[in-house]
Amino acid sequence: MPDGGSFITGQSFPALVLNADFRPLSYFPLSIWAWQDAVKAVFLDRVSVLNEYEAEVHSPTLSMRLPSVIALKEYIPAARRPAFTRFNVFLRDRFECQYCGEGRPTHDLTFDHVIPRSRGGRTTWDNVCTACGPCNLRKGNKLPRECHMQPRQAPRQPTSWELQENGRAFPPNYLHESWRDYLYWDSELES
Ligand SMILES: [Zn+2]
């Protein structure tokens, strides 16, 4: 096992992690591992290396180029029911307020209970939707028909596949060129 020590300064060399079917384990957030974890997985024989950075790690006995794209050897099935989390609700709604339609960064988004909790509404997939602060405030404790604010899409539980597809619409902040083929392979085939 090479010990990278502190040879890398200012660069993190993340590895894109693909499932055994060569599609990203997750699109959003994009599945990436720190190089330390990627190298460890290579040595444990859990992943195949599909692409590498120029940068190398050295140990007294060997040197190794850092993997930039790795694929799991064992397929991990997507959870059939996505977890009901804050993030997944935003992802289902594509980070857009369901009342005014505006897209916003996560920290500007809130939840709205379509039927307010004070009126018996529950915190479930089909009663919670993404809302911006101003819309949430405007809606307050009113029912949709009382304030004429209907969510653009009736909230419901998404499938894991739908969340994955929504996630693909959001390009990651960091994108190494060796990742492109794995992230956009079907769009390139179309063009
Ligand atoms: Zn809004």
Side-chain angles (χ1 to χ4, degrees), residues 97 99-102 104 131-132 135:
C97 171
Y99 296 108
C100 67
E102 226 180 284
R104 287 170 185 263
C132 69
C135 286

Side-chain angles (χ1 to χ4, degrees), residues 102-191:
E102 226 180 284
R104 287 170 185 263
T106 330
H107 58 261
D108 285 345
L109 292 172
T110 63
F111 287 132
D112 179 61
H113 286 77
V114 179
I115 296 171
R117 269 184 297 187
S118 59
R119 316 281 288 264
R122 308 199 27 213
T123 307
T124 55
W125 277 117
D126 43 20
N127 192 49
V128 165
C129 72
T130 305
C132 69
C135 286
N136 203 333
L137 207 64
R138 201 147 51 87
K139 185 158 174 299
N141 283 328
K142 297 186 274 294
L143 294 171
R145 60 181 150 80
E146 292 170 348
C147 54
H148 307 289
M149 290 172 75
Q150 290 285 353
R152 300 183 162 215
Q153 282 194 310
R156 60 174 181 79
Q157 181 184 289
T159 64
S160 296
W161 187 82
E162 284 169 329
L163 289 189
Q164 281 286 306
E165 286 302 301
N166 282 358
R168 301 185 66 176
F170 298 93
N173 296 327
Y174 171 90
L175 189 63
H176 188 251
E177 57 181 39
S178 70
W179 297 4
R180 289 177 197 277
D181 287 345
Y182 303 97
L183 293 177
Y184 304 117
W185 60 276
D186 45 2
S187 55
E188 279 178 19
L189 285 180
E190 280 161 18
S191 65

